[in-house]
């Protein structure tokens, strides 16, 4: 009887920043390595490669994940957004603009992960998700105030070795205000 053969690779399709990418890949390849080494999307950074620093944060189905701990095959069929896909053409995302305006970066190495994480933080907050510092996590209370403590807690998975945390917190707060204004305007427009 012949031994069963097993393969450790197959062809997958990744939907990244609205584009489909078809590639043969080893099942053990992380999403981070697929992005950087196979698809030349080098905006996502490899920091600790252990899920501790957040430099590799990307959005998968609009939720943040550390791509160094996510297998590429697990992301197949899902919507992946990297820092390269955050802006709308030449118009920066509100988070990107706030980081620029308020110096929410120093060397810039952690900035792509910080920005992707901040986008998810703002969405999570708007949806009413509590954090470890939220006073009243009851759904009837609505989203808690997005205080600096809330922002720091929610962004705590992203490290900045340069220490730009004060500016990062201000940038996230400004982008969250912009997001809230956009949501209010959209609600009024829909009601009209």
């Amino acid at each position: 009887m012949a031994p069963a053969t097993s393969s450790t690779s197959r062809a997958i399709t990744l939907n990244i920043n609205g584009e489909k990418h078809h590639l043969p890949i080893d099942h053990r390849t992380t999403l981070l390595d697929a992005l950087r080494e196979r698809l030349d999307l080098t905006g996502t950074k490899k920091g600790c490669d252990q899920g501790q620093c957040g430099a590799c944060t990307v959005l998968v189905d609009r939720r943040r994940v550390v791509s160094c701990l996510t297998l590429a095959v697990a992301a197949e069929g899902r919507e992946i957004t990297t820092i390269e896909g955050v802006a709308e053409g030449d118009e920066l995302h509100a988070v990107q603009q706030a980081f620029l305006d308020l110096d929410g970066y120093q060397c810039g190495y952690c900035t792509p992960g910080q920005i992707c994480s901040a986008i998810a933080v703002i969405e999570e907050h708007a949806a009413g998700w509590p954090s470890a510092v939220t006073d009243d996590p009851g759904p009837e209370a609505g989203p808690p105030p997005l205080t600096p403590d809330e922002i720091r807690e929610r962004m705590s998975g992203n490290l900045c070795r340069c220490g730009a945390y004060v500016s990062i917190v201000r940038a996230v707060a400004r982008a969250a205000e912009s997001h809230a204004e956009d949501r209010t305007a959209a609600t009024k427009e829909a009601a009209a």
Side-chain angles (χ1 to χ4, degrees):
M1 178 177 216
T5 60
S6 68
S7 174
T8 61
S9 64
R10 69 179 173 98
I12 65 170
T13 301
L14 296 175
N15 182 10
I16 304 167
N17 303 326
E19 279 185 44
K20 296 207 184 289
H21 299 270
H22 309 285
L23 63 155
I25 200 154
D26 185 289
H27 294 160
R28 298 162 292 190
T29 303
T30 64
L31 180 57
L32 174 62
D33 288 339
L35 293 170
R36 291 185 57 82
E37 296 173 15
R38 300 294 306 280
L39 299 171
D40 203 29
L41 293 168
T42 57
T44 304
K45 302 300 186 225
K46 183 179 275 198
C48 66
D49 211 21
Q50 297 177 359
Q52 299 292 316
C53 72
C56 68
T57 303
V58 298
L59 303 174
V60 177
D61 293 336
R62 300 178 61 165
R63 294 198 176 175
R64 54 192 161 152
V65 300
V66 286
S67 60
C68 71
L69 296 182
T70 304
L71 295 176
V73 294
E76 186 174 23
R78 300 174 74 190
E79 180 184 332
I80 303 162
T81 304
T82 67
I83 192 66
E84 291 91 349
V86 169
E88 295 283 335
D90 290 336
E91 186 177 332
L92 294 178
H93 188 282
V95 173
Q96 290 174 303
Q97 191 63 56
F99 267 68
L100 283 174
D101 293 345
L102 298 170
D103 295 324
Y105 57 92
Q106 293 288 316
C107 76
Y109 196 84
C110 73
T111 305
Q114 296 271 3
I115 288 172
C116 286
S117 189
I119 290 168
V121 160
I122 292 167
E123 291 288 331
E124 292 163 7
H125 173 262
W129 293 15
S131 78
V133 298
T134 302
D135 287 332
D136 181 7
E140 66 283 347
L146 196 56
T147 64
D149 284 342
E150 278 285 341
I151 294 169
R152 280 191 288 275
E153 172 62 27
R154 292 169 186 265
M155 292 290 294
S156 64
N158 292 81
L159 302 179
C160 173
R161 289 173 179 91
C162 297
Y165 295 114
V166 172
S167 297
I168 290 167
V169 169
R170 287 196 326 242
V172 174
R174 179 179 288 178
E177 289 171 15
S178 175
H179 183 262
E181 290 168 4
D182 290 348
R183 286 173 59 116
T184 301
T187 301
K188 287 181 181 177
E189 190 175 295

